[in-house]
């Protein structure tokens, strides 16, 4: 009986630890894609990761945060969407230098909003 209780407690603990949080997962995905974009050696690699970033941004946009943080969160997501649209325009025009400059602005916006929301 004692062993069964320990196993049950362990199972509950593992289940609780393995829950996925869509916001956290999408932010991790955005961060990973953004890092890969910065490190990409080819235009094709950048474009592939760019699509991953945009997919994760769409998931993040649909999430909610603490009520006191929602307005700032929404403002940050909106800024990323605006910059994302500009990156899309630059990429469509074949302006890789312009796209990379906009990506730098996205990194600065990420830092600004992470700082404002107390995110590491």
């Amino acid at each position: 009986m004692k062993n069964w209780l320990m196993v049950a407690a362990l199972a509950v603990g593992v289940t609780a630890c393995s829950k996925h949080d869509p916001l956290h997962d999408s932010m991790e995905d955005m961060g990973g894609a953004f890092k890969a974009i910065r490190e990409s050696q080819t235009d094709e690699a950048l474009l592939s990761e760019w699509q991953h970033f945009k997919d994760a941004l769409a998931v993040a946009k649909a999430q909610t945060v603490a009520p006191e943080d929602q307005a700032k969160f929404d403002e940050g997501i909106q800024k990323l969407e605006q910059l994302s649209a500009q990156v899309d325009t630059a990429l469509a025009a074949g302006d890789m230098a312009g796209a990379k400059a906009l990506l730098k602005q996205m990194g600065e916006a990420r830092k600004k909003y992470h700082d404002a929301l107390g995110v590491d």
Side-chain angles (χ1 to χ4, degrees), residues 46-66:
L46 184 147
L47 292 171
S48 174
E49 290 301 329
W50 177 242
Q51 188 57 53
H52 292 153
F53 178 87
K54 291 192 320 180
D55 292 345
L57 178 59
V59 171
K61 179 183 178 182
Q63 306 309 307
T64 58
V65 297

Side-chain angles (χ1 to χ4, degrees), residues 8-116:
L10 180 62
V12 169
V14 168
T15 302
C17 291
S18 65
K19 278 187 174 178
H20 291 282
D21 175 17
L23 178 59
H24 176 78
D25 291 348
S26 65
M27 291 295 175
E28 289 289 321
D29 290 347
M30 285 170 51
F34 198 76
K35 181 179 180 189
I37 288 167
R38 285 192 324 259
E39 295 172 353
S40 63
Q41 299 295 316
T42 65
D43 293 351
E44 293 78 20
L46 184 147
L47 292 171
S48 174
E49 290 301 329
W50 177 242
Q51 188 57 53
H52 292 153
F53 178 87
K54 291 192 320 180
D55 292 345
L57 178 59
V59 171
K61 179 183 178 182
Q63 306 309 307
T64 58
V65 297
E68 63 272 14
D69 294 331
Q70 192 67 52
K72 186 59 74 174
F73 175 80
D74 291 342
E75 180 184 315
I77 292 293
Q78 183 178 17
K79 180 67 174 174
L80 287 177
E81 286 184 309
Q82 290 168 350
L83 289 167
S84 176
Q86 292 175 17
V87 170
D88 281 338
T89 300
L91 291 173
D95 181 8
M96 295 306 279
K100 288 179 181 181
L102 289 162
L103 289 165
K104 183 175 180 183
Q105 288 180 34
M106 289 179 85
E108 293 165 357
R110 181 198 67 79
K111 181 172 177 11
K112 173 185 173 182
Y113 287 100
H114 277 194
D115 288 350

